[in-house]
Amino acid sequence: MNQRMHLLSSLLMGVYLLLPLHTVLGHGHDHPVPLVPRTWEGKSYGCKCYFGDDCWPAPKKWKELNATVGGNLVVFVPPESACHNFFNGTLGTIPTYDAAKCANVTANYPREQWVNEQDATLLWKYFTNSSCVPTTDPSSPCTPGYYGTYVIRTSKKEHIKAGVDFARKNNLRLIIRNTGHDFIGRSTGWGALVINTHRFQDVKFIKKWKGGPKGYTGSAVTVGAGAQGRALLRQAVAQNPPVTVITGECPTVGIAGGFVQGGGHGPLTTIFGLAADHALSFDVITANGKLVTADEKTNSDLFWALKGGGPGTYGVVLSASFKTFAERPSAGATMYINSTLTTNITLFWEGVRIFHSHANYFVDRGLYVYFTVAPGSLRVRPFVAFNQTSVQLEEILEPLKADLTAAGIPFYSGPTLQYASFFDLYLDLFEDESGGPPMLTSGWMFGREDIDNNNDGIIEAMKTAISPREDLIDKGYMVGHLFGAGHNPQPAGISATNPRFRTASDLLLYLVPLPTDATLVQKADLQNVLANTIDRAMRDAAPNGLAYINEADPFQDNWQDHFWGPTVYPKLRQIKKTWDPEGVFYAISMPGTEEWEVIEHGTRLCKKF
Ligand SMILES: Cc1cc2nc3c(=O)[nH]c(=O)nc-3n(C[C@H](O)[C@H](O)[C@H](O)COP(=O)(O)OP(=O)(O)OC[C@H]3O[C@@H](n4cnc5c(N)ncnc54)[C@H](O)[C@@H]3O)c2cc1C
Ligand SMILES: *[C@@H]1O[C@H](CO)[C@@H](O)[C@H](O)[C@H]1NC(C)=O
Ligand SMILES: *[C@@H]1O[C@H](CO)[C@@H](O)[C@H](O)[C@H]1NC(C)=O
Ligand SMILES: *[C@@H]1O[C@H](CO)[C@@H](O)[C@H](O)[C@H]1NC(C)=O
Ligand SMILES: *[C@@H]1O[C@H](CO)[C@@H](O)[C@H](O)[C@H]1NC(C)=O
Ligand SMILES: *[C@@H]1O[C@H](CO)[C@@H](O)[C@H](O)[C@H]1NC(C)=O
Ligand SMILES: *[C@@H]1O[C@H](CO)[C@@H](O)[C@H](O)[C@H]1NC(C)=O
Ligand SMILES: *[C@@H]1O[C@H](CO)[C@@H](O)[C@H](O)[C@H]1NC(C)=O
């Protein structure tokens, strides 16, 4: 920053501090605690209020909040602390060692459902800062890292309202945490007040939806914010007649939280579209603490924004309603190429190239395909053919097998399996996933055109993701999803998702692991590799692609365009301004966050001056 700008901002800061609050904040009548002035790397900011600041609520105020939320306010103590002598938290040091609990936590640590049920921990550890991990050395430090300070275990709308009001009035960083699946840390925040919505588990099926968009009168389901994919599908298939819902491939991702607010793709997306396309209504506590319903008739701008316009940005969702679809018999299959079959890496990549060259064709035939690529290993599990027979699926897979055979690629192809319902297939072929070591995650969805014209270039980019640099040979890992959100056309603008979804067919995630005790320098270096080597290679290979909000690098340049595109983004930014003018809600790289920044190494959330 040059001298003059610096002077100017100091001056503005002075003015800010001298003027009566309402003058500075304009319409911010109900915002008694002002932003806290700070300087970081020569720039001036106004920050949220944190422990140690004069504005941090006194114990009495927290006690009042606790009473309002029925005693469900807790100081966050990481479960991992059971393996450490002390938890040195923001509010003080407490002794925590408990051998039995430590053993329990260590055993459960990678299990998805266990993580989901905790107050605030995350499945993907990178954005926790790994500052308290299971260990056999109790003397090692356990500090909060990027976790919040307090959690409200909400189970009533009044609890959520109380949390939102408290955060707004006291200028606190507010985090909404549901299952903790978020790849990019949006369900955690240093020093924050966390609203945990996972206890909202009610699910209600409705035969005839009333008052829906464009007069929809078909079957529907209303799900609480905390309900998760497989549990919902299990209840859906038990209806008479059996129905199904668009969920993620992952059994434990929520539905009404980050999933639909990011768009939501899953095994049924090729047939029906994105989850966001089929939302009918949301009940939401907004930034001003009001409970509103958002549907096509009421608060329609908010309704649209909640359908893919960005998680944790417009309000706290209590429940959401979705169309349901008739359950159908389905077929599935698997295929592998790995080192048991060939260790010839040239042959291996030729196999991947041939597999991937069929991506558009598979989608055109109504398939969804989930696959992983690790060094020397392609694992396709499963191919999903909803409402098709095993005979039909066999026929669809024939050209792929013929091409692999003709090229002399050894591959293992499992039997094509017939299932009485899609849910049976889901239980049999989709696997539980697990939390693992810290990893950087990004992703890119390839346009159909890119696959048609430049599949070879895409494969080269995949090689880059597996081995991004000389010292990172065979360190990468990828997860691919072939689906076509535009295979069966959806009305234009039905959801606030990127229009490019409709002409794309492979969403590829790529992960770069890093050591649990990585230094800031190592983290910055690998982040640079992710953004400037791997992401760049993907984008160069597939310029017609897009980034999926829930599965992409949050630090990327031009995220507005990659996530939403130039027609959708400006509308979302306006809706954010309407519903949350003061920035009660914040999640990185979501609409309207341009003026906010997390400074001081991932800790304080501040507004730029
Ligand atoms: C193993 C794995 C598999 C996945 N598979 C898929 C997939 O198949 N398809 C897909 O589309 N995505 C998938 N995802 C990504 C997933 O959609 C996102 O991680 C999503 O953000 C999870 O939402 P959540 O509410 O369950 O998790 P959380 O981490 O608790 O929350 C995620 C975000 O949503 C916000 N949020 C949560 N609850 C609410 C609420 N009640 N109101 C407002 N905001 C809220 C949070 O503040 C945060 O910003 C997968 C992720 C993982 C880790
Ligand atoms: C909130 O109240 C409950 C019940 O009285 C108590 O157990 C809990 O410790 C309180 N939380 C805080 C942060 O004091
Ligand atoms: C671990 O703890 C949970 C809850 O605290 C308990 O339900 C479970 O039985 C424990 N498991 C083991 C193996 O001790
Ligand atoms: C945590 O607190 C304990 C007890 O006061 C102290 O011995 C230890 O050094 C502290 N650790 C850290 C990492 O601050
Ligand atoms: C986060 O981790 C880094 C090491 O990568 C460390 O230097 C920093 O102090 C940690 N920050 C917090 C808030 O724990
Ligand atoms: C390769 O895939 C087959 C089929 O699933 C499996 O049995 C085998 O263990 C795999 N080999 C390796 C090295 O992973
Ligand atoms: C690997 O396969 C390629 C293509 O068939 C072949 O040209 C090459 O010689 C093989 N390499 C080894 C080491 O066998
Ligand atoms: C299933 O396929 C049949 C034709 O094969 C079609 O008539 C029907 O609408 C499909 N059902 C669903 C739910 O997609």
Side-chain angles (χ1 to χ4, degrees), residues 29 65 73 110 175 198 204 207 224 227 237 276 291 295 342 370 372 380-381 444 499 555 570:
H29 23 272
L65 174 63
L73 178 75
I175 290 289
H198 190 47
K204 191 173 154 232
K207 294 266 188 239
V237 78
L291 170 64
D295 61 24
T342 180
Y370 183 84
T372 56
V380 189
R381 176 182 171 134
W444 190 246
F555 300 112

Side-chain angles (χ1 to χ4, degrees), residues 130-383:
S130 305
S131 300
C132 184
V133 295
T135 176
T136 52
D137 172 14
S139 71
S140 63
C142 169
T143 60
Y146 297 161
Y147 280 126
T149 298
Y150 283 98
V151 181
I152 309 175
R153 298 170 174 162
T154 66
S155 58
K156 294 188 174 148
K157 57 182 188 295
E158 291 78 12
H159 301 164
I160 294 184
K161 175 183 167 47
V164 171
D165 285 344
F166 192 81
R168 184 188 62 250
K169 289 180 184 158
N170 292 292
N171 181 32
L172 304 182
R173 172 97 190 255
L174 181 65
I175 290 289
I176 313 164
R177 195 275 193 188
N178 189 25
T179 68
H181 269 85
D182 207 83
F183 276 113
I184 54 187
R186 291 173 308 196
S187 40
T188 195
W190 181 80
L193 171 62
V194 179
I195 290 179
N196 181 311
T197 62
H198 190 47
R199 282 170 187 71
F200 285 80
Q201 289 286 338
D202 284 354
V203 172
K204 191 173 154 232
F205 288 89
I206 299 144
K207 294 266 188 239
K208 285 190 189 310
W209 179 257
K210 290 194 187 76
K214 309 252 187 308
Y216 177 75
T217 55
S219 60
V221 64
T222 300
V223 296
Q228 292 167 276
R230 185 164 55 199
L232 178 61
L233 290 175
R234 196 185 298 282
Q235 294 178 67
V237 78
Q239 301 303 303
N240 183 16
V243 292
T244 194
V245 192
I246 300 169
T247 70
E249 58 77 26
C250 171
T252 55
V253 165
I255 312 298
F259 178 73
V260 66
Q261 293 170 51
H265 62 83
L268 301 179
T269 291
T270 302
I271 302 300
F272 299 116
L274 298 163
D277 300 340
H278 299 293
L280 295 163
S281 178
F282 294 88
D283 280 352
V284 194
I285 303 276
T286 58
N288 59 11
K290 297 232 159 67
L291 170 64
V292 305
T293 293
D295 61 24
E296 190 152 271
K297 286 181 193 150
T298 317
N299 302 313
S300 56
D301 59 339
L302 179 61
F303 175 56
W304 184 73
L306 289 167
K307 297 190 295 177
T313 297
Y314 310 96
V316 187
V317 171
L318 301 173
S319 66
S321 301
F322 297 91
K323 290 183 192 172
T324 61
F325 306 98
E327 247 289 11
R328 296 295 301 154
S330 299
T334 53
M335 178 179 282
Y336 309 94
I337 302 174
N338 65 22
S339 59
T340 306
L341 298 164
T342 180
T343 53
N344 182 327
I345 214 67
T346 311
L347 273 186
F348 166 75
W349 279 112
E350 180 60 6
V352 177
R353 190 192 69 75
I354 291 171
F355 162 73
H356 203 262
S357 71
H358 290 76
N360 292 338
Y361 158 79
F362 289 147
V363 166
D364 290 342
R365 298 294 302 267
L367 300 194
Y368 166 94
V369 184
Y370 183 84
F371 65 96
T372 56
V373 185
S377 167
L378 169 69
R379 189 166 187 268
V380 189
R381 176 182 171 134
F383 293 94

Side-chain angles (χ1 to χ4, degrees), residues 86-88 93 140-143:
F86 298 103
F87 170 56
N88 302 65
T93 294
S140 63
C142 169
T143 60

Side-chain angles (χ1 to χ4, degrees), residues 59 62-63 65-67 69-76 91 150-151:
W62 288 106
K63 216 170 161 190
L65 174 63
N66 197 8
V69 299
N72 287 298
L73 178 75
V74 295
V75 170
F76 178 66
L91 304 179
Y150 283 98
V151 181

